[in-house]
Amino acid sequence: MSSAERGEANQTEGPLLSKAGIPLGIAIPKPIDVQYYTVESVIGIMAILGNLLVLYVISFRRGLRKGHVSSLFIASLAVADLAVGLLVCPFALLNSVGLPKDYTLCISMQCILIWAAAASIYSCVVVSVDRFIAVTKPHMYQVIMTRRKAQALVAASWMLAFIIGFIPAFGWNLGRPEEARCFFIEIVDFHYIAFFFCVVIVPSSLLVAVLYILIFISIRKQLRQGGRNAAANEKPKNKQTISKNAYQNRAGGKRWKSEVQIAKVLFLIVVFFYICWYPLLLYNTIMAFSSVSLPIAFINCMIYLTHANSAINPFLYAIASKEFRHEYKAVFRKLFCCGKKSKDMESSSARAKATSSQEKSEGKSSDTL
């Protein structure tokens, strides 16, 4: 959602201007801004490669528990980030030179930009809801958040993002520009951007903030009561029961710690997302009600930040999660070791099998409770 054209228009003096303030009669495509093209191209390539890696390790690496429901939500967020690299960055480059000239293609392109942003936002919300249930209701999580429900949530979030993102295509726009060209501010009504900010961004960010506050309150409470709960259990009658209870407590505690770790990783991702998107969306909302403008270089930096969010997320997964870090290393070894199998990869497979069998046994033991 570029605002660079508005800043340029405010700095350009001329007798013939469009309703949006962009000079008329300029050659389309405009001359390329080398710096803008270079930065956007680098961000796009990083977003594509990084998120393809994330989707690969989720889909094919057992170490990340392919069947775990939370993987669906992480994959949804990665797909939204991948769309930024594949679609949003190239469209932004076309937009910067006034292409495409066809009005239908132009408004469809602008809607896809907004759709990708909305999909990322709602993916963050769904991720937060999933972590809230996993941490605050660990014993009921597998009952509440089944794989089918998770798939329905992901599908609903993308559908809602599509509906909101394509509102401009159904009439809430500035109409056909006076010349055959495609600039964001000549097509998209900034009052719609204000609506998007107030109806999508603000409520979702408040909901996410509340959920994570409750999550970390629950974590703190459960850590304090962990020892007390163990002491409060009824004393078993024989050694076999002691062994069984000890195993179940240890297994349940390990599973809960894993859910907490995932919550911390996704909290970092969500916070970083809003830090990246708020400046540009807030500025666009202000522009709907005033003519205040910022230097083009500053506006471009805000655009870079929104797109860079999708390129940096795969690195955040690696920084915050040992599982992702380990799986990344295994993939790179496989790619760059000329097909030579390393002992670490073999041990990774063995650990994955052991983890899978342990999770199955934990599920069976929990069913007997």
Side-chain angles (χ1 to χ4, degrees), residues 1-220:
M1 289 182 285
S2 172
S3 301
E5 302 98 335
R6 183 179 287 270
E8 182 178 339
N10 289 333
Q11 295 180 10
T12 304
E13 295 183 1
L16 297 176
L17 300 175
S18 68
K19 294 178 182 179
I22 298 179
L24 296 172
I26 60 176
I28 300 297
K30 287 174 56 182
I32 292 174
D33 183 335
V34 176
Q35 180 182 356
Y36 185 81
Y37 260 66
T38 302
V39 175
E40 282 290 323
S41 297
V42 170
I43 291 173
I45 293 170
M46 288 178 62
I48 292 170
L49 296 178
N51 287 288
L52 283 176
L53 177 61
V54 171
L55 292 172
Y56 173 78
V57 297
I58 290 175
S59 300
F60 300 105
R61 299 294 299 179
R62 292 183 179 180
L64 281 174
R65 295 184 299 172
K66 178 182 174 182
H68 199 273
V69 172
S70 62
S71 296
L72 285 173
F73 300 115
I74 297 175
S76 175
L77 189 55
V79 169
D81 288 336
L82 180 62
V84 171
L86 287 173
L87 300 175
V88 174
C89 289
F91 288 171
L93 295 178
L94 288 174
N95 217 17
S96 68
V97 296
L99 295 175
K101 294 183 179 182
D102 182 78
Y103 173 72
T104 302
L105 288 177
C106 177
I107 196 167
S108 298
M109 187 175 75
Q110 312 302 346
C111 290
I112 290 174
L113 298 179
I114 301 169
W115 180 28
S120 295
I121 293 163
Y122 286 131
S123 293
C124 288
V125 172
V126 171
V127 155
S128 303
V129 171
D130 172 68
R131 289 302 87 202
F132 173 76
I133 297 172
V135 174
T136 61
K137 301 181 184 298
H139 300 296
M140 295 294 294
Y141 176 72
Q142 294 180 350
V143 176
I144 297 173
M145 190 59 70
T146 62
R147 193 168 185 81
R148 182 171 295 181
K149 289 179 183 177
Q151 291 170 342
L153 275 175
V154 170
S157 65
W158 278 86
M159 184 60 67
L160 182 59
F162 177 84
I163 293 171
I164 292 177
F166 274 79
I167 286 177
F170 294 103
W172 195 350
N173 58 65
L174 297 177
R176 290 181 179 272
E178 296 160 71
E179 295 182 350
R181 59 191 190 181
C182 184
F183 292 115
F184 185 85
I185 65 171
E186 288 187 337
I187 299 293
V188 179
D189 190 339
F190 271 69
H191 290 92
Y192 164 75
I193 299 299
F195 161 82
F196 183 85
F197 182 77
C198 295
V199 173
V200 177
I201 299 294
V202 174
S204 65
S205 58
L206 290 176
L207 175 60
V208 167
V210 170
L211 288 175
Y212 273 103
I213 288 172
L214 295 175
I215 285 171
F216 288 113
I217 288 175
S218 176
I219 291 173
R220 190 174 181 181

Side-chain angles (χ1 to χ4, degrees), residues 171-360:
W172 195 350
N173 58 65
L174 297 177
R176 290 181 179 272
E178 296 160 71
E179 295 182 350
R181 59 191 190 181
C182 184
F183 292 115
F184 185 85
I185 65 171
E186 288 187 337
I187 299 293
V188 179
D189 190 339
F190 271 69
H191 290 92
Y192 164 75
I193 299 299
F195 161 82
F196 183 85
F197 182 77
C198 295
V199 173
V200 177
I201 299 294
V202 174
S204 65
S205 58
L206 290 176
L207 175 60
V208 167
V210 170
L211 288 175
Y212 273 103
I213 288 172
L214 295 175
I215 285 171
F216 288 113
I217 288 175
S218 176
I219 291 173
R220 190 174 181 181
K221 183 179 178 181
Q222 291 188 51
L223 287 175
R224 285 180 176 179
Q225 294 182 348
R228 299 174 188 174
N229 290 340
N233 288 334
E234 294 181 1
K235 293 183 178 180
K237 296 180 180 180
N238 53 57
K239 292 183 179 180
Q240 184 179 2
T241 310
I242 292 174
S243 177
K244 182 179 178 181
N245 287 349
Y247 172 77
Q248 290 172 351
N249 290 334
R250 189 165 58 250
K254 185 177 180 180
R255 192 185 303 115
W256 183 78
K257 287 180 181 179
S258 175
E259 302 293 2
V260 170
Q261 177 60 30
I262 297 173
K264 290 179 179 178
V265 173
L266 295 176
F267 172 74
L268 179 63
I269 300 296
V270 170
V271 168
F272 186 71
F273 174 85
Y274 285 108
I275 290 174
C276 290
W277 279 91
Y278 250 89
L280 181 61
L281 291 173
L282 183 59
Y283 172 70
N284 284 338
T285 300
I286 293 172
M287 291 299 293
F289 305 102
S290 70
S291 58
V292 177
S293 63
L294 295 174
I296 298 174
F298 190 78
I299 296 173
N300 282 341
C301 285
M302 291 192 291
I303 297 170
Y304 298 152
L305 190 62
T306 60
H307 298 167
N309 170 251
S310 298
I312 294 173
N313 275 348
F315 295 97
L316 294 181
Y317 293 135
I319 292 171
S321 170
K322 290 182 180 179
E323 285 184 323
F324 267 100
R325 193 157 56 246
H326 178 78
E327 294 301 330
Y328 283 179
K329 289 179 181 178
V331 171
F332 287 132
R333 288 193 193 101
K334 187 175 181 180
L335 289 175
F336 299 112
C337 288
C338 301
K340 183 180 179 180
K341 292 185 178 180
S342 66
K343 293 182 180 180
D344 290 338
M345 290 179 66
E346 293 176 358
S347 62
S348 171
S349 178
R351 281 195 299 268
K353 291 179 180 179
T355 301
S356 177
S357 61
Q358 183 178 0
E359 286 179 351
K360 288 179 180 179

